[in-house]
Amino acid sequence: MSMEDPTEFETRPGYRRMGIYLPALVVGGLAMLALVYLLAMRTLGWPVPDRLDTALPPLVQSEGSRDVVLFVSPTTQRYFTGVGGNYEVLLSPWRKHLSAQRWRVTEASTPEALSKGEGRILIVPSAVALSPQERSAIEAFKADGGNVLLTWASGTRDDANQWTGWEWLERMGQARVNGEVAKAEDAPGFLVLDGESPINRQQAAGLRIWLGANHEPLLRLMPINDAQLAGRFMDWARTPAPAELANGAIVYGEDERGGRSVVLGFSESTWEYQPHRIAPVIEDALAFLGRRPDAMLANWPAGHRAAQIVEMDTEDQFRNALHLASLMDNIGYRGTFYVLTSMGMEFPDVVKTLARSHEVAFHGEVHTSFKDLPEATQRQRLETMQAQLATALPSDQTTMGFRAPTEGYDGTTERLLAEKGFTHHLADPHRSDARLPLFAAEEGAAQQLVVLPRTQRDDINLLSEGTTDAVVLAQRLGDELALAESQGALGILSVHTQNFAPGSPLASAVSIYLHQLASRRETVWLASAGEVAEWWRDRDRVRVVSRDLGLRAEFDLSVTPGEPLEGVSVVVMLPRKNVLPTVRGAKTGMPPVEVTPIDPYRASVRFGELPAGNYHYQITF
């Protein structure tokens, strides 16, 4: 047996040394390069086919994907024609909106046109009557990972125009229909939005949208199976309805297969009354269905979902203020007392006691309105009230608040308040259509005047309903708290000394209410009016800009010069239910963050102390 010369092997070319392993090494190397490339591009936002990621529902690639399918049902067209209606009236608002917002629209009018879902968005506009084939096609679209927006009474009649009930709409949209909102002169005519919601990313918490004298009845919705409510039908005052009569208007959710849905309990005929406010709702609903992972600056500090102020108009029976102060002390809460200064002069000991633990602010020198008075008169009144409390207030008090007597004020009042260095004005319910603080438009002031609109029923409203049962009053206050928390709003409970004698129904109800507030401190920020105003000015120093990059997102956060900020947080909309993101600095040296869930569709990103500067973060899912 001959032996091979070792020197011959050493002199062979490299490819001959590998022998039969060369093809395998080449293929393996190329496969490895391809895998590394695929993973890198996925991180940069490339979509991954379902077969490579079968455990999770597909994502829309990025905001650049602006494709929707508008289903125009021939069955519904025949139904409306048969009852003397015109389906085009309900289709036209969609066509106008989608065109204005530059969506690429495919109109489908047959079941066969609804091909596989695979992350696509299907709009079913008030398709009241559907054939069995149309229902099956829509169901298959969603079951295949598609996302569906349904409006009004879609699917409640068959192709023979016979009533089939709400079951199909409930199953497709995860929204139980509890009947229609009754039509009456005092019936809810407003859509009121929750804030920081996947279906309200652009507009303020508690915003009222007038729906007009609609011809089609409004549907009362209730979310089921982990779906969420995004808005309610309410009256102008936003009076909370009992739980069993809750007028839910928008429901959104994601089912066990990953398909998303949005149900609007109002028809397209309502859009015409305030189209500039309806349009963002529609866009945000499509953003939810398209799984766009926005990041937005939170309204309240430290991840709180809402804020609550309890204040007293301190007038007649002045000493009753001490009773409310003691109830607040029991839960460790610093409230706000707006003092009628002519009364405060008669009880300087009470004012000083209140000022030791609470915020003392101004309620005018006498209980008459400022509205429409000459500027010189208003200026003199403000100077008089300040002089009357000068010796009773702490010299180091940094906040100055005002609440106009009878809630009567005008633009001159706010301009003078800003000029004199007042920090906030607690105003009437007409001051804003939303339930958040706002800045008075006063130029040249040393600091911005924060306006706090009272958008919650006060004691006068509650007692005028004839209820003297403390338990019932406490329940109504609890309903107000639940509504404010759901909406992410600023709630303000205003009470009066003359109604607050110890042992009175109101005092007993407020005692119960304060303990409810104390138990909700993790989610509801319990603060004085001055603290809320100070936070709102601090928050105004922060800007957040987010970018959707498909399977990841980025956001830039900037803090303008000033003292370091505490409590800043960002709300992130999740592209997949119950899947928390990983948030890391996109550059070295970025402060660490804490990510916690808000609900199945949102997460809170909380920061520690933030000095002035620019910060950059990457969100991966």
Side-chain angles (χ1 to χ4, degrees), residues 295 545-547 549 552-558 570 582-587 589-595 605-610 614-620:
V545 177
S546 70
R547 291 178 295 279
L549 301 175
R552 66 181 177 89
E554 293 179 345
F555 69 88
D556 301 329
L557 185 150
S558 61
V570 169
T582 298
V583 181
R584 297 188 180 93
K587 298 181 179 180
M590 295 295 101
V593 298
E594 178 186 5
V595 181
V605 180
R606 304 182 191 182
F607 294 82
E609 184 178 81
L610 276 180
N614 299 310
Y615 305 92
H616 311 280
Y617 289 86
Q618 183 180 92
I619 310 171
T620 54

Side-chain angles (χ1 to χ4, degrees), residues 60 98 107 215 250 295 313 347 479 494-495 558 562 577 589:
V60 166
L98 296 170
E107 291 200 8
H215 299 291
I250 303 174
D313 290 0
F347 301 95
D479 290 342
S494 175
V495 297
S558 61
K577 185 174 71 171

